[in-house]
Amino acid sequence: MARTRIKDILSGGTTGARYKVCGWVRTRRDSKGGFSFIELNDGSCMENLQLIADAQTADYEGTVLRLQPGCSLEVEGLLQASPGKGQRVELKVEALRVFGWADPEHYPLQKKRHSFEFLRTIAHLRPRTNTFGAVARVRNAVSHAIHTFFQERGFLYVHTPIITGSDCEGAGDLFHITTFDLGAVPIEEGRVDFSEDFFGQPANLTVSGQLEAEIYALALGDVYTFGPTFRAENSNTSRHLAEFWMVEPEMAFCELEGDMDLAVEFLQYLFRHVLDHCRGDLEFFNRFIDQSVIGTLETLATQDFERLSYTEAIEILSKSGEEFEFPVAWGTDLQSEHERYLCEKTFKKPVILTDYPKTIKPFYMKLNPDGKTVRAMDVLVPKIGEIIGGSQREDDYDTLLQRIEESGLHVDDYWWYLDLRRFGSTPHAGFGLGLERLVQFITGMGNIRDVIPFPRTPGNLNF
């Protein structure tokens, strides 16, 4: 008999039919009448399947009555209507096999609430909890929807390198990699001699696949990359990770307006997908984490996005009378408190800001005719602020060269990127969205470390 997922049994199982299920025991309680109720979960959905085992079950006392939370089982039985409250059906056990026992004195996930801080210390077991099982299912659904969205629109999925010799953002927050014995690094004229290293030059973990995605966009049209990226920013906040996943579409023959249109369509598609496919998990988050989760997603899935320039936003914030922690001034980057004020108090809807000062944006963004601002855009949503950042890319060779030099980067590292502006350059644009920040927004989880399976943060490399 083939194994059936609990999700499929609970959503469409046939009473009177026999099923085989596998999973982990959540609870067991025994009746004075000589039978036991076992709650089994296999991770396919939030709900448990109730098993009924009576004294006629083989080795009832030696097996069933020894079951504890965490034990893994294979069960065969007859599905029947449940007379009890809280479940439509239950499985009458006919055969039960224990794959793995869990000692109740040492198994840390007993039937009580555990803090998220504690659960981070047992990341190998926390997916068995309701919260982290739900996070994993939402993350999976969002990842699937990302690929579906772009594939349905003819985008090509491009795998960009994790190891790179360039700095896409020009911020310098890079993880450097080497095969050198750090106790005997070769030095030539007072500097590290990277010619003897594995790649023969300095190498880093990538902060973005964008630059390489542009290569393929300027040959094949519309592409996207979706993979891990790394930032060596020494930030221990609830919104930052050292390793996270980014989706980055890149479109040839596209200017900023088309980039913004795609970003809105993309977000609303993802919100609708999660509402349609993760309802049970969202109801859990709505009940126990953030009571506005479902309402927010339903509103944003259909709501228009306000569009205004960075300069207009600065004027609104300056005249707001609000006492911000960080001062507002033209030429400074907006903080989360500023972005949220615009979304939650000024417009009461998502906002797209455009045309930022060139001094606070990367070198690759297209310079506006005023020479002071670039064709950048940030999509802001309530609760968190920026969720997408993008731009039209600089497609003029001379301007790009000047921007690289102004940013203090080594021109030789970007010879190939400049070449794209010499041979058939076109207007092109794209954006980046961090998967973890999106999942954090969808679920209402307070810390980004709880929406990635194994968080990498300053001082933490466990699991």
Side-chain angles (χ1 to χ4, degrees), residues 202-366:
N204 317 299
L205 294 179
T206 186
V207 300
S208 169
Q210 177 205 312
L211 302 190
E212 291 84 0
E214 287 185 52
I215 294 173
Y216 276 78
L218 293 176
L220 303 174
D222 298 339
V223 303
Y224 72 104
T225 179
F226 186 17
T229 56
F230 308 85
R231 304 281 171 95
E233 183 180 1
N234 191 17
S235 180
N236 244 323
T237 77
S238 62
R239 300 175 71 240
H240 289 89
L241 291 166
E243 177 186 44
F244 55 97
W245 282 66
M246 284 278 287
V247 56
E248 297 175 295
E250 196 70 33
M251 298 156 287
F253 307 103
C254 179
E255 298 187 356
L256 187 63
E257 289 72 19
D259 199 29
M260 291 189 286
D261 291 343
L262 184 77
V264 173
E265 185 184 359
F266 179 52
L267 283 176
Q268 293 186 327
Y269 180 95
L270 298 182
F271 296 152
R272 287 193 298 269
H273 183 90
V274 173
L275 286 165
D276 290 343
H277 294 86
C278 299
R279 196 74 188 192
D281 294 316
L282 290 180
E283 288 172 352
F284 171 84
F285 291 120
N286 207 76
R287 180 180 178 186
F288 293 105
I289 304 297
D290 180 347
Q291 295 181 357
S292 66
V293 161
I294 291 178
T296 298
L297 293 179
E298 288 176 339
T299 298
L300 296 187
T302 57
Q303 195 172 35
D304 292 335
F305 286 42
E306 188 74 26
R307 302 185 185 192
L308 68 155
S309 71
Y310 165 91
T311 300
E312 291 171 321
I314 290 295
E315 185 176 355
I316 291 171
L317 293 167
S318 299
K319 295 179 178 179
S320 67
E322 192 82 4
E323 293 187 8
F324 296 111
E325 178 182 355
F326 296 93
V328 176
W330 199 96
T332 60
D333 212 352
L334 296 182
Q335 303 298 317
S336 177
E337 60 174 340
H338 307 138
E339 297 167 341
R340 292 187 59 182
Y341 182 88
L342 293 169
C343 291
E344 297 169 14
K345 295 187 177 181
T346 303
F347 296 104
K348 296 182 173 56
K349 62 167 64 174
V351 173
I352 304 179
L353 297 185
T354 64
D355 302 312
Y356 282 77
K358 70 175 184 179
T359 52
I360 62 173
K361 290 296 182 181
F363 69 92
Y364 53 74
M365 296 187 175
K366 185 167 183 62

Side-chain angles (χ1 to χ4, degrees), residues 41-52:
N41 191 283
D42 66 356
S44 64
C45 63
M46 175 66 64
E47 294 77 14
N48 303 323
L49 176 63
Q50 181 167 279
L51 313 178
I52 306 295

Side-chain angles (χ1 to χ4, degrees), residues 7-25:
K7 176 182 180 180
D8 296 330
I9 291 175
L10 294 178
S11 63
T14 303
T15 55
R18 284 180 169 77
Y19 292 95
K20 177 194 288 185
V21 295
C22 297
W24 292 266
V25 174

Side-chain angles (χ1 to χ4, degrees), residues 71-112:
C71 293
S72 56
L73 309 180
E74 176 186 85
V75 179
E76 293 184 32
L78 187 71
L79 192 68
Q80 57 189 27
S82 176
K85 295 181 179 180
Q87 64 276 328
R88 181 181 65 87
V89 293
E90 59 193 21
L91 194 72
K92 175 68 169 61
V93 176
E94 296 178 339
L96 183 149
R97 176 185 178 188
V98 179
F99 285 118
W101 297 95
D103 183 350
E105 292 187 8
H106 297 97
Y107 185 61
L109 295 177
Q110 296 301 314
K111 191 178 180 182
K112 64 176 184 178

Side-chain angles (χ1 to χ4, degrees), residues 101-133:
W101 297 95
D103 183 350
E105 292 187 8
H106 297 97
Y107 185 61
L109 295 177
Q110 296 301 314
K111 191 178 180 182
K112 64 176 184 178
R113 288 200 174 186
H114 301 282
S115 71
F116 293 150
E117 290 80 5
F118 168 72
L119 292 173
R120 286 178 212 133
T121 69
I122 54 168
H124 59 306
L125 295 174
R126 71 176 184 171
R128 300 187 188 185
T129 66
N130 284 335
T131 300
F132 289 93

Side-chain angles (χ1 to χ4, degrees), residues 359-398:
T359 52
I360 62 173
K361 290 296 182 181
F363 69 92
Y364 53 74
M365 296 187 175
K366 185 167 183 62
L367 193 65
N368 278 319
D370 62 14
K372 297 179 180 180
T373 60
V374 290
R375 299 277 285 163
M377 65 97 175
D378 285 345
V379 181
L380 318 177
V381 294
K383 299 182 182 180
I384 63 169
E386 180 195 343
I387 198 168
I388 280 179
S391 72
Q392 184 175 337
R393 317 311 189 187
E394 183 56 69
D395 54 87
D396 178 77
Y397 178 93
D398 292 330

